[in-house]
Amino acid sequence: MAGAYCLNPFRINAHFEENSRLLAPKIEYSSVAFPSNVELSRLNFYPTLASTSTSKEYASNVCCLPDAGNSINGKVPTPVLDMVENPMHLKNLTSKELRQLADDIRSELSFIMSKTQTSFKPSLSVVELTVAIHHVFHSPMDKILWDMADQTYPHKLLTGRRSILHEARKIDDLSTYTCRGAFDPFGAGHGCSSISSGLGMAVARDIKGKRDRIVAVISNETTMAGQVYEAMSNAGYLDSNMVVILNDSHHSLLPKPKLEQIPKTSINVVSSTLSKLQSSKFFRKFREVAKVLTKKIGRGMHEWAAKVDEYARGMMGPTGSTLFEELGLYYIGPVDGHNIEDLVCVLREVASLDSMGPVLVHVITKEYCEVEDNQMSETSDEIHEGSINIESLPCNSRPKTYSDHFVEALITESERDEDIVVVHAGMGMEPSFQLLKDKLLDKFFHVGMAEQHAVTFSAGLSCGGLKPFCIIPSAFLQRAYDQVIHDVDRQKIPVRFVITSAGLVGSDGATHSGAFDITFMSCLPNMIVMAPSDEIELAHMVATTVRIHDRPVCFRYPRGAVALTSPKPYVGETIEIGKGRILLEGKDVALLGFGSMVQNCLRAHSLLAKLGIDVTVADARFCKPLDINLVRTLCKNHKFLITVEEGSVGGFGAHVAQFISLDGLLDAGVKWRPMTLPDDYIEGALPQDQLALAGLSGNHIAATALNLLGRTRDALLLMC
């Protein structure tokens, strides 16, 4: 039997089946008959002047669209998801309807992924788990916290943010990352925070005498960070009631040949039954009674029984399950993360237990790599820089980025110097660095979300006579700042820090913004701080850092494509430490840029030249040590000095201000204006929109110069 759905602007929905007719009072529709061997996905009614329908009042045209996989414009119908506006709508759904809801969510995410170029791969593995959590627990009264923002998209679909998700990677940060709100009691972005914050909420709940439940969802990717185990240990000690769900998707940093040698946790009837038994009230009460009896018996009986219990549960559970028991969490699992019935059964038992202390539910899921690859390859939409992270795309399908040029320069240096090694940390790894990994083989170490370890590990490699390049995104380096100070800078160990994604990061917004690295790295006594203005300078700085042996050094570069292009790698040349350069000489205003902002200074020069203003543009290269001779020359030859940086207050401009004030240059009459990122968090948008919001575009720099020259009207016209 063939069927079709009818949609119209007046919200009159009808479903036609073979040889059927829909009649309504006062409205006439023509009969619709379909041969059983013809499939039509939708019928749409649209008003038109040339009527071909018998409808006299509302619908004037019947448009039959060809079948596209039972979809319109590639979108598969999602009937159950369409009925869900908040988690309360899941409470009365049957198991069959919950499974259909999971399928609807996966279809919806795949559709959004194909249209917006947003990667939902981590979220596709937790669809059933998310449905089960919201079916059992009562959000927002119960607090549900997520460690990985990339796994929260099903959660957002079920909590009234479906329309916002369709605009992901286009407008703001709200759709991309979990900000605090009614259904998100704590922000997620960098991972590792859910157990710590959840434990704090649980203790606050106990002190206030409330009874809400706390659920923290972590992944095996975030378990690489030490904070997770610190939080688990403290949770076991405090013994507050909370549920920790470990989403185990078998993610590993090991290459596939080595990964295949490691036995994976299996899910079968026995493991499923044991998980249900461990979570049952009867088993828990029996266990508690046994504890009380053995304590009364005394003479070491309690300790002996605890060892037997631990040994038996270790034998039944997967490898490593006793670790959580040692930390003080009651372990339940493994549970099939794609079996909604099992998930609901276990979570319902866990939710019904009082005075249990912390519980860890081990859920096994699978990664959906092929879904993302297929959807990404099928879409033919134009890729706009900033709408997605272009560095995450394959190298052959995007413009060359700073990371591409860095990899080329470092490979060139590694062919000359066999002591070069690379340590990479952070959430995921750019495709550019995969080439570096394939080239260096055993000299490339990806440690995942273990930035603290990465820094100290690099220090150890340096002490062993190697030349480590420690590659960490700016936002993630913040977590390892203590190690940078005590394990590297204070000991003057020559670790070469490569700070990626520095400055504004487009659609990833404030969560991954690299706004603070200039400030917190340049205040360290022994650190050399550099920033290239283009890819040629980047190659020079790579060559320079290889030849620094007596102190730590760092250089930063932004995310995204570069302006210059060359079919061949640039040959790096050693530059003098603390030596900047003048690119264009003028006499009216001096623009001193740091890093990528030099390009915007050149754009401002072009705008000002059209207005008859002679501008000097200088590339500082170094924030520390500062080229004081360059700064002194600029101040003495110009009445106005403007410093420009894509960083927070207290960075490059602060170092320039410190010098010119102590050197008496401010007393000599030079007028100085700093241009930095505003003292605020800038949410996700296109890069040019972010720069405009921050006031760092070429037009803003030119307008600042015009204001200094007293040409306010020209400045206003430039900003219109």
Side-chain angles (χ1 to χ4, degrees), residues 192-197 199 226-237 242 327 329:
C192 315
S193 62
S194 65
I195 302 180
S196 298
S197 58
L199 178 60
Q227 182 182 350
V228 171
Y229 300 100
E230 295 170 6
M232 286 184 183
S233 178
N234 194 218
Y237 173 76
M242 68 177 298
L327 291 172
L329 280 73

Side-chain angles (χ1 to χ4, degrees), residues 239-271:
D239 203 36
S240 292
N241 291 347
M242 68 177 298
V243 180
V244 178
I245 300 176
L246 171 59
N247 169 37
D248 185 357
S249 59
H250 298 304
H251 176 84
S252 176
L253 300 179
L254 297 174
K256 288 186 178 180
K258 293 184 179 180
L259 183 61
E260 292 173 354
Q261 299 174 8
I262 300 177
K264 293 184 178 180
T265 304
S266 60
I267 297 294
N268 50 46
V269 177
V270 176
S271 64

Side-chain angles (χ1 to χ4, degrees), residues 655-676:
H655 284 263
V656 173
Q658 175 82 358
F659 169 71
I660 62 177
S661 60
L662 294 177
D663 202 52
L665 296 172
L666 286 177
D667 302 334
V670 65
K671 294 184 178 180
W672 166 71
R673 293 292 184 271
M675 298 188 70
T676 67

Side-chain angles (χ1 to χ4, degrees), residues 24-201:
K26 299 182 181 179
I27 302 177
E28 295 181 13
Y29 291 91
S30 60
S31 62
V32 181
F34 301 107
S36 58
N37 61 344
V38 175
E39 295 184 1
L40 296 175
S41 60
R42 302 272 178 146
L43 285 180
N44 295 318
F45 294 114
Y46 297 105
T48 181
L49 294 176
S51 175
T52 59
S53 169
T54 60
S55 172
K56 298 179 180 178
E57 191 171 350
Y58 293 97
S60 59
N61 188 25
V62 179
C63 302
C64 298
L65 301 179
D67 181 64
N70 198 29
S71 66
I72 179 169
N73 293 329
K75 189 178 187 307
V76 177
T78 53
V80 180
L81 179 60
D82 294 342
M83 297 188 299
V84 175
E85 295 182 1
N86 60 67
M88 288 301 297
H89 295 160
L90 275 70
K91 302 306 177 184
N92 296 324
L93 296 183
T94 64
S95 295
K96 182 179 179 181
E97 290 170 332
L98 291 175
R99 288 194 298 271
Q100 180 61 49
L101 176 60
D103 293 338
D104 289 356
I105 293 174
R106 194 166 280 114
S107 299
E108 184 78 3
L109 291 178
S110 298
F111 174 74
I112 299 173
M113 181 167 58
S114 67
K115 296 301 179 184
T116 64
Q117 290 286 342
T118 306
S119 173
F120 292 131
K121 181 177 69 172
S123 288
L124 292 173
S125 64
V126 296
V127 171
E128 288 83 3
L129 175 60
T130 307
V131 170
I133 289 174
H134 281 293
H135 179 71
V136 173
F137 295 95
H138 302 277
S139 178
M141 184 180 69
D142 293 336
K143 307 298 188 299
I144 301 174
L145 304 103
W146 298 83
D147 237 9
M148 296 282 289
D150 290 341
Q151 294 181 353
T152 61
Y153 293 106
H155 166 72
K156 292 174 183 178
L157 285 175
L158 297 176
T159 52
R161 286 168 282 184
R162 185 179 183 182
S163 60
I164 301 177
L165 267 185
H166 284 271
E167 301 170 354
R169 301 284 182 177
K170 288 183 179 180
I171 295 181
D172 54 41
D173 215 21
L174 293 176
S175 62
T176 309
Y177 296 105
T178 308
C179 303
R180 289 190 65 193
F183 294 97
D184 299 306
F186 200 83
H190 289 185
C192 315
S193 62
S194 65
I195 302 180
S196 298
S197 58
L199 178 60
M201 294 177 190

